[in-house]
Amino acid sequence: MGKSYQIAVIPGDGTGPEVIREGVKVIEAAASRFGFSLSLNYFDWGGDRYLKTGETIPEGGIEELKRHDAIYLGAIGHPDVAPGILEKDILLRIRFELDQYINLRPVKLYPGVWTPIKDKGPEEIDFVVVRENTEGLYAGGGGFLRKGTPQEVAVQESINTRFGVERCIRYAFELCRKRNKKKQLTLVGKTNVLTFAWNLWERTFYEVAKEYPDIKPDYAHVDATCMWFVKNPEWFDVIVTDNMFGDIITDLGAMIQGGMGIAAGGNINPEGVSMFEPIGGSAPKYTGQNVINPLAAICAGMMMLEHLGEEEAALAIEKAVIKVCRDHLKSLSAGKMGYTTQEVGDLVAKYTTEDVEL
Ligand code: IPM
Ligand code: MN
């Protein structure tokens, strides 16, 4: 008898429940093939519940999450709820309270997937962004002075602690070593202008680098990085950056790997409970139409199984996703796949249980 995992599932808003349904189908298929089991506990947190009850995460909710092996999240964001409420009170609160200090976002172009980057293919687009996930501009420091007057002042502070920066950088070096590709870790920052925060990052980075003589430390400004994602994505192996820059560059990364339909990420606490999610939003206009692409959610499920140590299962899902992209889907965009959301889930689940030759 294989292991059993307790998974907290938060389908969330908009198309979240539809894509999570397909993701669950696929991870269940992998579990039955590879001899482990999943015990899924569903949480109805999100916009609808908030509109009915005024509650985002109910009392004791965070403690309940902590009793699981991992969290599988669909999407948070509702058109009838003011922007910021659900994002801050659900998504960011889980990231912070569970101390998921890494946001791991692979940027990998699968064969047969269209990229807007001319002349670049799967060989050239294959890197990982390690985004710090608990500090920086997201920490919530700042405030107003003289609010509502013509002299109003708004301050939004970027909080960077030696502790937070160092643990993130160490994670990135370890990952780069484990990945064993180019063995190059690029710090992405803005040392030429933001000379306090990025000086701390830079000093920490080169100090820690001394402990990893097998890894080449590299640096790029964030603006130039955006240029190189488009012009020379093959230059990157592993990138480490702060919360805000990581948020921005991973949207660009998602586009060059084929779009939000396939981009997944993990909010990782290496010593605690991690949460996996498609990185696109709740896409409310497609809700209930069975047209949204579930591959991003499926890939998030794959990352979750890999994180739990079920590497064979994760690999089988990846092969199935590659096959579906290569042999089936016309496009990764919602409504243009040539298949419904459910059909894509069925195909990936089926191939996950087979020995796929690529
Ligand atoms: C992301 C999202 C979130 C972020 C939002 C929804 C708070 O854009 O996961 O990248 O800014 O981190
Ligand atoms: Mn984002």
Side-chain angles (χ1 to χ4, degrees), residues 222-289:
V222 64
D223 47 351
T225 298
C226 290
M227 174 175 82
W228 287 323
F229 271 19
V230 175
K231 192 171 166 285
N232 296 101
E234 68 278 8
W235 286 355
F236 297 104
D237 177 14
V238 179
I239 286 172
V240 62
T241 190
D242 80 350
N243 212 338
M244 187 78 259
F245 290 170
D247 177 47
I248 297 167
I249 66 172
T250 54
D251 267 26
L252 181 54
M255 286 304 120
I256 70 172
Q257 75 179 114
M260 287 300 180
I262 195 148
N267 301 273
I268 313 281
N269 176 342
E271 299 88 34
V273 183
S274 301
M275 173 167 71
F276 298 83
E277 53 172 339
I279 83 168
S282 56
K285 69 175 181 184
Y286 296 118
T287 306
Q289 294 178 32

Side-chain angles (χ1 to χ4, degrees), residues 87 91-92 95 103 105 131 138 243 247 251 277 279:
E87 291 87 341
L91 185 61
L92 297 182
R95 287 179 182 170
N103 196 324
R105 295 186 164 181
R131 163 185 174 191
Y138 280 66
N243 212 338
D247 177 47
D251 267 26
E277 53 172 339
I279 83 168

Side-chain angles (χ1 to χ4, degrees), residues 63-92:
E63 288 311 309
E64 240 181 288
L65 287 184
K66 287 183 183 164
R67 289 195 283 272
H68 291 79
D69 295 305
I71 306 163
Y72 193 28
L73 173 76
I76 295 294
H78 195 292
D80 302 333
V81 180
I85 297 177
L86 301 170
E87 291 87 341
K88 272 194 165 169
D89 283 9
I90 300 180
L91 185 61
L92 297 182

Side-chain angles (χ1 to χ4, degrees), residues 49-69:
R49 184 197 165 103
Y50 173 73
L51 290 170
K52 260 188 259 150
T53 66
E55 217 170 36
T56 46
I57 295 182
E59 180 95 18
I62 293 285
E63 288 311 309
E64 240 181 288
L65 287 184
K66 287 183 183 164
R67 289 195 283 272
H68 291 79
D69 295 305

Side-chain angles (χ1 to χ4, degrees), residues 177-247:
R177 180 177 274 172
K178 184 162 166 244
R179 205 172 125 84
N180 201 19
K181 294 222 164 141
K182 274 189 200 311
K183 296 242 184 167
Q184 169 193 283
L185 178 62
T186 306
L187 175 69
V188 166
K190 193 72 189 173
T191 53
N192 54 346
V193 178
L194 308 177
T195 52
F196 306 125
W198 287 103
N199 179 268
L200 172 60
W201 275 86
E202 194 179 33
R203 268 183 290 121
T204 309
F205 182 71
Y206 286 104
E207 260 174 61
V208 175
K210 288 189 200 129
E211 296 172 37
Y212 293 86
D214 52 322
I215 309 291
K216 182 175 163 243
D218 174 45
Y219 173 81
H221 292 318
V222 64
D223 47 351
T225 298
C226 290
M227 174 175 82
W228 287 323
F229 271 19
V230 175
K231 192 171 166 285
N232 296 101
E234 68 278 8
W235 286 355
F236 297 104
D237 177 14
V238 179
I239 286 172
V240 62
T241 190
D242 80 350
N243 212 338
M244 187 78 259
F245 290 170
D247 177 47

